[in-house]
């Protein structure tokens, strides 16, 4: 079926557009997302769907209803807020009969394309938002007039958007207390193996496996390449970045087989899994400041000590409490859907 795109003035499609009651961050009580009675604090920031933090919901706050399109008028940042929220400065809130999470995200994408018009101090104020022209899939009504085809838009978004996992975990297992933790050397915890690739010239073009190197983001993934048994490092390991400007000292968990550069050292332990692996990476990353100013890591890695949850074994010796680490990560919000 051919889709007809028709131009609409956005102000003619909405029911309510208003400036939100502004709350200053310093007047609010910051809390964690999973704390009881928490609510999102929405500002003009772009990351995290404009949610700057979560705050404690108190009776003094002006709560904005959810199912709203939110615009930062001095930054032209646009987001869709499903849940009720509290607003920061310069926030415009929009409500409409047709709004839901699918149509809201669709319109948010279109409005964000207007952002380039509001550089150099121009503000995306209420009147400008209302005058914005957008092209929407359309159909004819009984009066032979074009109207947005919201049903088509919703169906399109459901088809193309990845389904967001829902978590049942809302409260951590407990508040971490490190008093009874014990120090372990990395060399005690893991069998250590160095990556096998010193030059990308030995790699063959392909899409079979990840090629990982001294890269602090994207889990260290540089690219994909063809599978080559002689260069493969086994998955289910901690990846220690031991060299590389700006990346040395970082750590990753890799769940699958991959090819690694010689700047990486892999740590293996039969008790390791994706849950306690992420727990360990968080702790190991605390060691990163030691490797500033060009210091290398490989020679000292095995003797590096980290403090972990511990328990006594049958010989009355301390060993890592792998199960505690796993259970803690699973108890965090979205830890159950990793």
């Amino acid at each position: 079926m051919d889709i007809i795109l028709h131009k609409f003035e956005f102000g003619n499609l909405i029911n309510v557009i208003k400036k939100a009651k502004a709350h200053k961050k310093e007047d609010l009580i910051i809390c964690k997302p999973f704390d009881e009675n928490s609510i999102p604090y929405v500002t003009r920031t772009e990351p995290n769907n404009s949610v700057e933090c979560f705050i404690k919901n108190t009776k003094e706050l002006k709560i904005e209803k959810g199912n709203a399109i939110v615009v930062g008028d001095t930054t032209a940042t646009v987001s869709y807020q499903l849940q009720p929220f509290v607003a920061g400065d310069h926030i415009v809130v929009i409500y409409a009969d047709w709004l839901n999470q699918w149509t809201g995200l669709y319109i948010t994408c279109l409005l964000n394309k207007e952002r380039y018009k509001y550089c150099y101090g121009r503000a995306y104020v209420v009147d400008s938002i209302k005058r914005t022209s957008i092209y929407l899939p359309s159909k004819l009504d009984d009066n032979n007039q074009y109207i947005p085809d919201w049903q088509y838009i919703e169906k399109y978004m459901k088809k193309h958007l990845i389904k967001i996992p829902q978590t049942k975990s809302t409260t951590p297992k407990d508040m971490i207390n490190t008093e009874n933790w014990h120090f372990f050397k990395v060399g005690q915890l893991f069998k250590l193996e160095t990556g096998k690739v010193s030059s990308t010239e030995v790699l063959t073009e392909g899409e079979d496996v990840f090629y990982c190197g001294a890269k602090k983001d994207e889990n260290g993934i540089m690219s994909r390449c063809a599978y080559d048994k002689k260069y493969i490092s086994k998955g289910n390991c901690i990846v220690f970045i031991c060299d590389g400007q700006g990346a040395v000292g970082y750590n990753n968990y890799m769940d699958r087989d991959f090819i690694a550069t010689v700047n990486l050292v892999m740590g293996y332990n039969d008790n390791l899994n994706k849950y306690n692996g992420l727990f360990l990476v968080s702790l190991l990353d605390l060691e990163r400041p030691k490797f500033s100013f060009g210091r290398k890591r490989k020679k000292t890695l095995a003797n590096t000590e980290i403090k972990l949850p511990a328990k006594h074994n049958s010989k009355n010796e301390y060993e890592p409490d792998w199960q505690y680490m796993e259970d803690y990560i699973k108890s965090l919000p979205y830890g159950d859907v990793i």
Side-chain angles (χ1 to χ4, degrees):
M1 181 179 73
D2 292 333
I3 301 303
I4 299 170
L5 292 177
H6 189 74
K7 184 167 71 172
F8 297 91
E9 192 169 278
F10 187 58
N12 294 328
L13 301 177
I14 59 181
N15 300 100
V16 176
I17 181 168
K18 64 170 187 170
K19 288 290 292 288
K21 165 69 175 176
H23 294 77
K24 294 182 179 180
K25 188 176 180 180
E26 55 264 32
D27 298 331
L28 306 173
I29 303 171
I30 310 299
C31 65
K32 296 178 180 178
F34 45 78
D35 285 352
E36 186 178 359
N37 212 26
S38 67
I39 190 168
Y41 178 56
V42 174
T43 65
R44 291 165 286 170
T45 184
E46 186 173 14
N48 299 320
N49 199 44
S50 297
V51 177
E52 183 171 333
C53 62
F54 282 78
I55 60 172
K56 186 175 181 180
N57 188 350
T58 60
K59 62 181 180 180
E60 296 83 11
L61 298 177
K62 168 62 178 174
I63 308 298
E64 304 294 340
K65 292 186 296 183
N67 192 31
I69 291 174
V70 176
V71 180
D73 64 9
T74 60
T75 54
T77 46
V78 186
S79 64
Y80 171 75
Q81 302 298 328
L82 179 62
Q83 304 297 333
F85 61 95
V86 172
D89 287 336
H90 298 282
I91 295 294
V92 175
V93 185
I94 300 164
Y95 299 99
D97 293 337
W98 43 265
L99 260 180
N100 57 40
Q101 61 180 318
W102 310 109
T103 57
L105 290 173
Y106 189 95
I107 296 298
T108 295
C109 292
L110 295 181
L111 293 180
N112 269 315
K113 291 182 178 295
E114 299 292 306
R115 190 173 180 184
Y116 73 96
K117 298 178 182 178
Y118 299 95
C119 303
Y120 308 107
R122 301 185 185 98
Y124 199 21
V125 295
V126 169
D127 287 342
S128 300
I129 297 169
K130 291 166 71 173
R131 290 195 302 267
T132 299
S133 293
I134 56 176
Y135 284 87
L136 294 175
S138 307
K139 61 183 180 181
L140 292 170
D141 65 9
D142 294 338
N143 297 318
N144 210 35
Q145 300 292 315
Y146 280 110
I147 59 173
D149 191 342
W150 299 113
Q151 186 175 10
Y152 171 84
I153 291 171
E154 184 172 336
K155 186 183 295 185
Y156 174 88
M157 294 298 285
K158 287 179 177 179
K159 180 179 179 181
H160 289 87
L161 281 181
I162 297 172
K163 187 176 181 181
I164 300 173
Q166 298 298 308
T167 182
K168 295 180 181 178
S169 299
T170 56
T171 306
K173 184 172 184 285
D174 54 35
M175 296 301 292
I176 287 182
N177 182 344
T178 63
E179 288 183 5
N180 296 319
W181 291 20
H182 191 71
F183 279 102
F184 298 91
K185 290 184 177 181
V186 168
Q188 289 178 278
L189 295 171
F190 300 105
K191 177 185 177 183
L192 300 175
E193 297 180 5
T194 301
K196 303 175 178 69
V197 173
S198 56
S199 171
T200 55
E201 293 179 0
V202 303
L203 302 178
T204 304
E205 193 173 323
E207 296 290 325
D208 300 332
V209 293
F210 289 131
Y211 169 59
C212 297
K215 184 179 179 182
K216 66 182 180 181
D217 51 13
E218 297 179 335
N219 214 46
I221 297 169
M222 310 286 283
S223 63
R224 284 182 175 270
C225 60
Y227 184 94
D228 191 329
K229 185 177 180 180
K230 63 178 174 290
Y231 297 121
I232 286 291
S233 294
K234 287 293 184 181
N236 191 32
C237 64
I238 301 296
V239 180
F240 303 91
I241 301 179
C242 293
D243 201 351
Q245 188 174 3
V248 61
Y250 281 97
N251 310 272
N252 295 304
Y253 170 79
M254 183 59 73
D255 63 342
R256 66 198 69 182
D257 294 356
F258 62 106
I259 291 177
T261 71
V262 293
N263 294 326
L264 306 182
V265 171
M266 277 57 70
Y268 296 92
N269 185 297
D270 291 340
N271 296 293
L272 194 65
N273 59 41
K274 60 185 178 181
Y275 302 105
N276 52 43
L278 293 175
F279 189 103
L280 284 163
V281 164
S282 298
L283 293 178
L284 288 163
D285 278 352
L286 297 176
E287 298 292 308
R288 187 177 62 81
K290 296 179 180 179
F291 303 99
S292 305
F293 308 106
R295 296 186 182 99
K296 307 299 183 185
R297 188 186 190 190
K298 191 175 291 186
K299 290 182 179 180
T300 61
L301 178 62
N303 288 322
T304 298
E305 291 188 331
I306 58 172
K307 201 174 186 181
L308 295 177
K311 62 181 181 179
H312 285 98
N313 59 21
S314 58
K315 298 179 181 178
N316 205 32
E317 298 171 338
Y318 280 111
E319 65 178 23
D321 192 340
W322 299 95
Q323 190 62 51
Y324 173 88
M325 292 185 272
E326 177 179 341
D327 291 344
Y328 182 82
I329 293 297
K330 286 181 177 179
S331 73
L332 296 175
Y334 294 96
D336 55 333
V337 293
I338 292 174

